[in-house]
Amino acid sequence: MKDFEIDLQKRLAALSEYMVMDTPPEQAFDDLTRLTSFICGTPIALVTLLDQKRQWFKSRVGLAATETPLEHAFCRFAIKQEKVFIVTDTLDDDRFASNPLVTGDPNIRFCAGAPLITPEGIPLGTLCAIDRVPREMTSEQQDALTALARQVIAALELRKTVKVLARALAEKRVVERQLSDIKLLIPMCAWCRKVRDDDQYWKHVEFYLSKHADISFTHGMCPECAAVVEQDFKAKLTPPV
């Protein structure tokens, strides 16, 4: 398997663990893109994530589209390096001069992307700043973009942890409900109707229930049992022939 195929499989596995693709906008990420746009002075800022076919935007400022085909993505180049990827003028770069995102809407002329790298070293996408005019980027802006990209990863890690904990809590509640249902089952002898308590002693059902619940008993006799007892009593009083 080629290196890029290995990297793709690792990236897809990581994206699956983060459970983030195609999720609704979230303020934690939108705040970072707005801050990126402000610091870099660009009308467009994006949090991009790359799968096998597309570049999807978890967060976006100044752009209506939610994704682009992977072959048009600037970020497929940016994720190959650890530092900020900068294209000062797309028309002077053979890799992008004929790109539909350059020749048409949104008419990209400048792009700077800081790779989003997981704690395991897997690149997922970029935090990028985009402009419609050529420009330069200061070293301070590059440092800030790199720092903000780390915060995107921190937000993804926090999001994953919350999801995992929520799933674990839901599973715990299911188990607790199952255990509660089991506790409601009373082990009763099918022959004598005695009940086994937690100490493995067999006791009459009224004794068991009065001990484990706020229940009192009065004793009577149902018609069927009364008839049987009466018949038995008469049989004992009738002298044998």
Side-chain angles (χ1 to χ4, degrees):
M1 184 179 288
K2 297 181 180 178
D3 289 343
F4 76 90
E5 292 174 332
I6 296 174
D7 292 340
L8 173 60
Q9 295 306 315
K10 289 181 178 178
R11 183 163 66 252
L12 294 178
L15 289 172
S16 178
E17 288 183 3
Y18 282 115
M19 299 175 283
V20 66
M21 296 297 285
D22 297 308
T23 56
E26 298 175 54
Q27 186 170 349
F29 299 96
D30 291 344
D31 287 346
L32 292 171
T33 51
R34 282 194 290 268
L35 192 55
T36 297
S37 175
F38 174 76
I39 291 175
C40 297
T42 58
I44 300 172
L46 306 167
V47 172
T48 74
L49 299 170
L50 277 62
D51 62 15
Q52 69 269 41
K53 294 183 179 180
R54 58 181 172 148
Q55 171 184 243
W56 178 72
F57 307 140
K58 172 58 183 172
S59 179
R60 63 193 192 278
V61 170
L63 191 67
T66 58
E67 62 182 55
T68 67
L70 187 61
E71 59 268 23
H72 298 164
F74 284 46
C75 295
R76 63 194 175 101
F77 297 94
I79 63 172
K80 296 179 181 179
Q81 61 185 52
E82 296 182 1
K83 296 182 180 180
V84 176
F85 176 79
I86 301 175
V87 181
T88 57
D89 190 344
T90 55
L91 294 182
D92 291 337
D93 193 314
D94 293 338
R95 293 172 298 179
F96 308 112
S98 60
N99 189 304
L101 302 179
V102 174
T103 58
D105 188 64
N107 304 111
I108 298 174
R109 292 293 299 276
F110 166 85
C111 180
L116 303 175
I117 303 175
T118 71
E120 295 75 27
I122 302 171
L124 303 179
T126 67
L127 173 64
C128 61
I130 295 172
D131 208 336
R132 297 183 176 90
V133 296
R135 59 182 300 156
E136 300 289 337
M137 193 177 198
T138 67
S139 59
E140 291 80 7
Q141 288 174 323
Q142 294 180 49
D143 290 342
L145 189 61
T146 300
L148 290 171
R150 289 196 294 268
Q151 292 306 306
V152 172
I153 289 295
L156 285 172
E157 286 288 315
L158 178 59
R159 187 181 185 281
K160 179 172 69 173
T161 300
V162 170
K163 293 287 186 183
V164 170
L165 289 176
R167 181 191 300 169
L169 180 59
E171 292 174 352
K172 178 176 178 290
R173 287 173 176 166
V174 170
V175 172
E176 287 176 343
R177 285 196 298 269
Q178 291 173 342
L179 290 175
S180 178
D181 292 341
I182 291 173
K183 289 179 180 179
L184 293 176
L185 297 175
I186 300 175
M188 176 180 286
C189 175
W191 184 258
C192 70
R193 296 296 189 265
K194 286 183 180 179
V195 175
R196 189 186 69 224
D197 64 13
D198 295 335
D199 297 322
Q200 303 300 311
Y201 290 109
W202 290 91
K203 300 177 179 178
H204 288 290
V205 64
E206 61 265 29
F207 179 85
Y208 178 89
L209 292 177
S210 62
K211 181 180 178 181
H212 291 84
D214 187 17
I215 299 175
S216 298
F217 293 88
T218 61
H219 291 83
M221 187 174 292
C222 71
E224 290 83 359
C225 290
V228 172
V229 170
E230 182 180 4
Q231 184 178 1
D232 184 59
F233 184 72
K234 288 180 178 179
K236 289 180 179 180
L237 291 179
T238 302
V241 177

